[in-house]
């Protein structure tokens, strides 16, 4: 097993290649994002002015990276800058929907979904701490629970209304944890796209593949804590050709692996603190297992699963468990998306919209 293949996969919007059965009190101050300091943005909390005119006009169905960057602003959470976007109908009119990206990805990974969902709903998208344009603090110890707390605080302080969470990969798991821990009725529904089993490879589940590889995974963690090794591999993986090859191996629709996608992954990986985030996430605790949490949820849950996912395959423990839930649990719907890989929303967005949009429209109004 080459260390480079493991590192390559880990900085993408899914978990390491070794992970075959599965892929990781806030202030009310809202300030312009660091990369767009000179821009005036209106994002008011607690009233109707959630989307300013420049934002509302800047994004259509097909969203460019420049349009997304222009529409983003920053929220301060526990002293960190968190990048987010809001688009769509004003508060009280559109159902709030929060999009949460997977490992190594960011808000632009939803570029093929934001405009479509925003036609009928208020869309929020967030860069988790350590990813995208959000802060990547050096020495920070990342955990799934921290991301879940970030999501819940965002719903409480920025959105201010019960919200549907839509997540991919490790972002799905963060949404599951947030939904299971919400005590204020902040989560109205949950849509999971190829949910991961843990923040990293060490989520112990009943799968012979992980049991076989587990000693090597521990060795890999030890090697990654050697800064020169982690840095060398990280830099190699950021090369465009390497990124393209890895992405094409996990996307069912190869045409979706375009130059924009390469930049979505590669850009934030060049930021200060990106390497520290990667090492902390890959070597840290895997976090709560969604197989234990999802059956306990009493909200409506939509689960979409790409059948060509090499990281969270249908025959893995998470896929098998989730596909069996609709029979005993009527609040859960499960659909297999044919010819789709680990990132369905970007791989074949039309297949996701076909299931997601009617599900959102049929959610209870309160």
């Amino acid at each position: 097993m080459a260390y480079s293949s493991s590192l390559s996969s880990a900085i993408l919007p899914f978990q390491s290649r070794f992970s075959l059965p599965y892929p990781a009190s806030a202030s009310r101050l809202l300030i312009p994002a660091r990369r767009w300091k000179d821009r005036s943005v209106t994002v008011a909390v607690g009233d109707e002015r959630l989307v300013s005119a420049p934002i509302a006009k800047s994004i259509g169905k097909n969203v460019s990276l420049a349009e997304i960057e222009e529409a983003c602003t920053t929220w301060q959470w526990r002293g960190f800058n968190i990048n987010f976007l809001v688009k769509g109908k004003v508060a009280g009119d559109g159902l709030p929907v929060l999009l949460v990206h997977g490992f190594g990805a960011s808000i632009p990974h939803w570029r093929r979904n934001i405009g479509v969902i925003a036609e009928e709903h208020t869309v929020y998208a967030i860069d988790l701490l350590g990813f995208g344009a959000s802060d990547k603090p050096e020495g920070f110890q990342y955990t799934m629970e921290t991301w879940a707390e970030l999501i819940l605080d965002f719903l409480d302080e920025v959105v201010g209304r019960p919200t549907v969470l839509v997540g991919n990969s490790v972002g799905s798991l963060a949404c599951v944890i947030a939904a299971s821990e919400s005590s204020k009725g902040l989560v109205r529904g949950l849509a999971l796209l190829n949910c991961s089993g843990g923040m990293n490879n060490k989520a112990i589940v009943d799968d012979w593949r992980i049991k076989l590889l587990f000693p090597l995974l521990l060795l890999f963690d030890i090697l990654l804590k050697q800064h020169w090794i982690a840095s060398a591999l990280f830099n190699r993986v950021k090369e465009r050709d390497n990124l393209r090859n890895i992405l094409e191996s996990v996307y069912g629709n190869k045409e979706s692996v375009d130059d924009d996608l390469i930049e979505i992954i590669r850009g934030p990986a060049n930021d200060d603190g990106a390497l520290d985030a990667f090492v902390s996430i890959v070597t840290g605790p895997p976090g709560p297992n969604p197989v234990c949490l999802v059956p306990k949820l009493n909200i409506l849950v939509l689960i979409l699963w790409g059948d060509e996912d090499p990281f969270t395959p249908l025959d893995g423990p998470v896929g098998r468990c989730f596909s069996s839930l609709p029979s005993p649990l009527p609040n859960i719907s499960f659909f297999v998306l044919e010819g789709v890989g680990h990132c369905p929303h970007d791989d074949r967005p039309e297949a996701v919209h076909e299931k997601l949009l009617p599900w959102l429209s049929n959610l209870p109004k309160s």
Side-chain angles (χ1 to χ4, degrees):
M1 260 171 288
Y3 296 130
S4 60
S5 76
S6 204
L7 178 62
S8 313
S9 306
I11 68 166
L12 299 175
F14 33 72
Q15 295 297 322
S16 162
R17 268 189 184 280
F18 290 145
S19 179
L20 293 176
Y22 44 84
S25 75
S27 166
R28 289 185 178 274
L29 176 64
L30 292 171
I31 61 176
R34 289 170 295 158
R35 297 181 180 177
W36 313 283
K37 290 182 179 178
D38 298 330
R39 206 173 155 274
S40 175
V41 180
T42 300
V43 185
V45 178
D47 66 16
E48 299 295 306
R49 296 176 295 114
L50 279 177
V51 185
S52 69
I55 293 178
K57 293 178 181 178
S58 68
I59 301 180
K61 284 188 178 181
N62 299 315
V63 188
S64 71
L65 302 191
E67 288 172 327
I68 289 178
E69 182 173 304
E70 182 70 11
C72 285
T73 189
T74 300
W75 166 58
Q76 289 247 307
W77 180 73
R78 301 182 183 181
F80 301 118
N81 292 321
I82 302 299
N83 187 53
F84 78 95
L85 170 149
V86 57
K87 159 68 179 168
K89 297 191 174 183
V90 296
D93 190 13
L95 172 70
V97 178
L98 175 63
L99 307 177
V100 184
H101 61 80
F103 193 27
S106 55
I107 292 170
H109 202 210
W110 302 98
R111 67 199 186 282
R112 295 183 170 118
N113 319 107
I114 291 171
V116 175
I117 300 173
E119 289 187 329
E120 297 295 333
H121 309 291
T122 305
V123 175
Y124 295 82
I126 192 170
D127 283 342
L128 295 173
L129 186 69
F131 296 114
S134 289
D135 280 353
K136 303 169 184 65
E138 294 185 8
F140 190 86
Q141 298 301 307
Y142 293 87
T143 66
M144 290 304 314
E145 292 88 344
T146 298
W147 287 329
E149 291 168 7
L150 186 158
I151 290 170
L152 288 176
D153 286 345
F154 184 83
L155 298 184
D156 188 25
E157 301 198 10
V158 178
V159 182
R161 293 189 292 152
T163 301
V164 177
L165 303 181
V166 180
N168 171 231
S169 187
V170 75
S172 283
L173 179 54
C175 291
V176 169
I177 299 170
S180 67
E181 295 182 350
S182 176
S183 60
K184 298 181 179 180
L186 295 171
V187 181
R188 189 169 177 179
L190 189 62
L192 310 175
L193 312 180
N194 286 67
C195 184
S196 68
M199 186 172 74
N200 53 45
N201 310 302
K202 296 185 294 295
I204 300 299
V205 291
D206 185 18
D207 189 276
W208 66 269
R209 290 165 288 195
I210 290 299
K211 291 180 179 179
L212 182 64
L213 291 172
F214 195 70
L216 293 176
L217 299 178
L218 294 179
L219 175 61
F220 184 64
D221 284 358
I222 294 172
L223 292 172
L224 276 183
K225 291 181 180 180
Q226 303 299 312
H227 185 270
W228 69 273
I229 294 177
S231 180
L233 294 176
F234 198 70
N235 288 333
R236 179 174 176 78
V237 164
K238 289 188 293 183
E239 297 175 4
R240 294 182 186 276
D241 288 344
N242 289 338
L243 285 177
R244 186 177 299 276
N245 290 337
I246 296 162
L247 285 163
E248 287 182 348
S249 74
V250 297
Y251 269 58
N253 179 15
K254 311 307 179 186
E255 293 182 0
S256 290
V257 181
D258 55 17
D259 291 340
D260 281 353
L261 179 58
I262 303 301
E263 184 58 30
I264 288 168
I265 306 302
R266 188 172 182 270
N270 290 320
D271 290 348
D272 291 341
L275 175 59
D276 283 357
F278 161 71
V279 173
S280 174
I281 292 165
V282 172
T283 62
N289 193 322
V291 169
C292 300
L293 297 179
V294 171
K296 299 177 183 179
L297 298 175
N298 57 14
I299 57 175
L300 292 178
V301 180
L302 173 68
I303 302 173
L304 304 180
W305 216 274
D307 68 346
E308 295 187 5
D309 183 355
F311 298 127
T312 56
L314 280 171
D315 67 344
V318 180
R320 288 198 309 269
C321 174
F322 280 11
S323 63
S324 69
L325 292 178
S327 178
L329 300 174
N331 64 310
I332 296 178
S333 302
F334 182 94
F335 296 95
V336 173
L337 305 181
E338 295 184 2
V340 179
H342 187 67
C343 307
H345 60 292
D346 190 49
D347 192 330
R348 296 190 184 275
E350 69 285 351
V352 171
H353 298 155
E354 182 181 0
K355 302 298 182 184
L356 177 62
L357 296 180
W359 182 80
L360 289 172
S361 299
N362 290 326
L363 285 174
K365 299 302 180 182
S366 60

